[in-house]
Amino acid sequence: MRVLLTLLLLALPGLAGAEPLPVTLLPSEVVLGRDPVVVVRVKAPPGAPPLRAAASTGRLTPQRSSTPEEFLFIWTPPDIRYPLLAVLAFWTDSPAGPPEITRVPIPLLGRNELTVDTAAGAQVVVEVAGRSFGPARADRRGKAKVTVQVPPGVSKASVRVTSTRQRPSLRTIPLDVPPEQPLLAVMSPESLPAGGDGWLVLMGEQPVPGSELRLRVKGASTREELPSVFRVKPEPGANAVVVEAQRADGTGSTRLTTHVVAAVVRFTPAPAPPALVVPLARVTPALVLGPVVAPPPRPPPPPAHPFSVQVLAGGFLAGGDNRGPLASLGVGYQLPLLDGRFALEAEAGLRRSTSHALVEGLGTVDSRVLASPLLLSVRGRAFELGRFSLHGRVGAGPTYYNHRATSSFFDTPLVQQGRTFMGFVAAQAVWRLGAVSTLLEVRAGRAAASASLVDAQLGGLSACVGLRYRL
């Protein structure tokens, strides 16, 4: 379930002349490969100068906001799979000194499948940073596979093994996680005045002082006024200032380009704008960035609807002549629990079987059974990797059938109607194509139709293909 977390983060040490900007994230952390975007809302005081924003990684895109004093952004995570901490920065330029920056960290959790070697049949639980994953049971070769979520800065996991053949054991295994740390460069003002000066701030989750950096600045001279805060003065004749910074331990780097203008920029308070205009800089390693023009505002993506419709078609086999085609139409509701892992489904189906039997004294008897199961079921997601996921289903419900027998011995067909009960379990493979998903389902069920004129099995094994549409 998504949690709305309001982050009231402290401004940079040494610059605590103003309160940090209230920032709201939804969601507050990102599972890479699962969460496509983060909605960011920033509230600014009335009459504040235009808001500026930057991200240490990913893409931060401004959107139109319905509230004049609230700024709306969509942040898209980078296309990576390893854990990383992203840092967003929000500030307004000030003529009186360094900018007052509000830092917003976003943990990016990487998903990884761990293979644990143990005794056959043993139960394995993996704990990463206080979160438990599993249990998973080892196969006959003694291998158990557990999918875990790894937050940034975590390099080991605890494995707890329980088996009937040996004592419970607890051991630690290393995680192959790159030691990368965020590094973000912020220049204020957006364009440096020729003959004047400006400010350069370097930060990660915390301010990064010059003693922990390898810093190269082309086109300007710098002097560290406060830890991580540098005064920048453009050189005569320079039309751009290029900043290249790298952590001394080699775990992060950034590069930033700022233009130099001939006129000195004077700051005057501006009224709250009716629409969002945000000078946006995206800072990534080995990439030269200038001022980024905000694209036309787009509304945030609508929340996913919990209802879905699915259709299945295939065939069933229950032994002998108990076989034939089947089809079903169902609706589902995704429960808002456990990250939408479970769904309730209602299904109406149709299946038919025919037989041609030679009966002593009656000749050849043609028999047809037409059944209509009405089923309720629970579907749970057991495994997910990218667009592919594997689900399990279990359900039951009444099944109404119509039996019709004809023979040259009968003047009129013999018709009998009845009701029985059907229960089933199924495994369903899903390939997601946006709002539409393709389905492949294998089902085992039991539904016996036994009366004076009919003795048929309507369950058995079945295989179906179909589509599911998310409303």
Side-chain angles (χ1 to χ4, degrees), residues 110-137:
R111 288 193 293 183
N112 190 19
E113 185 178 67
L114 301 180
T115 300
V116 180
D117 294 323
T118 182
Q123 184 172 275
V124 177
V125 175
V126 179
E127 184 174 304
V128 181
R131 301 184 183 182
S132 296
F133 303 91
R137 191 166 296 278

Side-chain angles (χ1 to χ4, degrees), residues 1-287:
M1 188 185 305
R2 291 184 173 179
V3 178
L4 186 64
L5 179 61
T6 302
L7 301 174
L8 300 177
L9 302 172
L10 296 178
L12 287 173
L15 304 179
E19 292 294 327
L21 301 173
V23 181
T24 301
L25 303 179
L26 184 65
S28 59
E29 65 179 17
V30 171
V31 178
L32 294 168
R34 187 196 69 183
D35 300 323
V37 296
V38 175
V39 179
V40 185
R41 297 181 184 273
V42 185
K43 290 187 178 181
L51 182 71
R52 296 186 60 194
S56 64
T57 185
R59 185 173 67 255
L60 190 62
T61 307
Q63 307 290 321
R64 185 181 299 276
S65 176
S66 59
T67 305
E69 297 173 1
E70 182 181 71
F71 296 89
L72 179 65
F73 299 85
I74 295 296
W75 182 73
T76 305
D79 187 16
I80 59 174
R81 288 295 180 267
Y82 57 86
L84 182 65
L85 183 70
V87 175
L88 309 184
F90 302 95
W91 75 97
T92 57
D93 292 323
S94 171
E100 297 156 350
I101 300 177
T102 298
R103 299 185 310 274
V104 183
I106 304 179
L108 309 183
L109 279 65
R111 288 193 293 183
N112 190 19
E113 185 178 67
L114 301 180
T115 300
V116 180
D117 294 323
T118 182
Q123 184 172 275
V124 177
V125 175
V126 179
E127 184 174 304
V128 181
R131 301 184 183 182
S132 296
F133 303 91
R137 191 166 296 278
D139 58 18
R140 289 178 296 179
R141 298 178 300 169
K143 295 185 179 295
K145 295 184 178 181
V146 182
T147 300
V148 300
Q149 297 177 2
V150 183
V154 177
S155 59
K156 60 183 179 180
S158 299
V159 178
R160 186 170 66 252
V161 179
T162 306
S163 173
T164 57
R165 302 180 182 178
Q166 57 187 17
R167 294 181 178 179
S169 63
L170 180 65
R171 65 179 187 266
T172 301
I173 60 174
L175 300 173
D176 186 14
V177 178
E180 187 171 344
Q181 298 185 72
L183 185 60
L184 175 61
V186 168
M187 188 76 75
S188 177
E190 181 183 3
S191 298
L192 296 176
D197 55 17
W199 298 93
L200 170 66
V201 182
L202 291 160
M203 73 190 81
E205 184 179 11
Q206 300 294 332
V208 183
S211 59
E212 300 178 8
L213 293 169
R214 290 194 287 267
L215 180 64
R216 292 182 57 193
V217 179
K218 301 178 182 178
S221 60
T222 60
R223 183 175 71 251
E224 189 171 14
E225 301 284 349
L226 296 168
S228 79
V229 180
F230 298 81
R231 186 184 293 272
V232 180
K233 187 175 183 60
E235 296 174 351
N239 57 12
V241 175
V242 180
V243 177
E244 296 178 345
Q246 185 179 23
R247 290 180 180 268
D249 57 7
T251 57
S253 62
T254 186
R255 183 182 172 104
L256 176 67
T257 298
T258 300
H259 296 287
V260 178
V261 295
V264 176
V265 179
R266 299 185 181 275
F267 295 92
T268 57
L276 177 62
V277 178
V278 179
L280 180 65
R282 177 189 173 200
V283 182
T284 56
L287 183 62

Side-chain angles (χ1 to χ4, degrees), residues 326-350:
L326 64 86
S328 68
L329 177 65
V331 295
Y333 176 78
Q334 188 171 15
L335 297 175
L337 302 174
L338 300 177
D339 194 27
R341 184 176 294 272
F342 293 95
L344 299 179
E345 296 180 334
E347 174 185 311
L350 190 67

Side-chain angles (χ1 to χ4, degrees), residues 422-438:
M422 175 178 289
F424 76 92
V425 294
Q428 189 178 89
V430 179
W431 183 263
R432 179 168 45 84
L433 301 172
V436 178
S437 300
T438 59

Side-chain angles (χ1 to χ4, degrees), residues 251-408:
T251 57
S253 62
T254 186
R255 183 182 172 104
L256 176 67
T257 298
T258 300
H259 296 287
V260 178
V261 295
V264 176
V265 179
R266 299 185 181 275
F267 295 92
T268 57
L276 177 62
V277 178
V278 179
L280 180 65
R282 177 189 173 200
V283 182
T284 56
L287 183 62
V288 179
L289 294 178
V292 179
V293 179
R298 295 179 299 175
H305 204 286
F307 290 97
S308 62
V309 178
Q310 73 176 29
V311 60
L312 294 170
F316 76 98
L317 175 64
D321 290 332
N322 297 291
R323 62 179 182 271
L326 64 86
S328 68
L329 177 65
V331 295
Y333 176 78
Q334 188 171 15
L335 297 175
L337 302 174
L338 300 177
D339 194 27
R341 184 176 294 272
F342 293 95
L344 299 179
E345 296 180 334
E347 174 185 311
L350 190 67
R351 55 180 62 197
R352 185 188 67 182
S353 67
T354 59
S355 65
H356 307 279
L358 181 61
V359 180
E360 184 177 355
L362 299 180
T364 301
V365 177
D366 295 326
S367 177
R368 185 200 68 183
V369 178
L370 191 63
S372 300
L374 301 176
L375 306 174
L376 293 176
S377 63
V378 176
R379 172 170 53 86
R381 185 175 69 244
F383 172 78
E384 183 177 17
L385 180 61
R387 295 180 178 269
F388 175 78
S389 59
L390 186 64
H391 300 243
R393 297 181 65 204
V394 58
T399 299
Y400 299 88
Y401 63 87
N402 179 289
H403 174 236
R404 179 185 177 92
T406 59
S407 172
S408 58

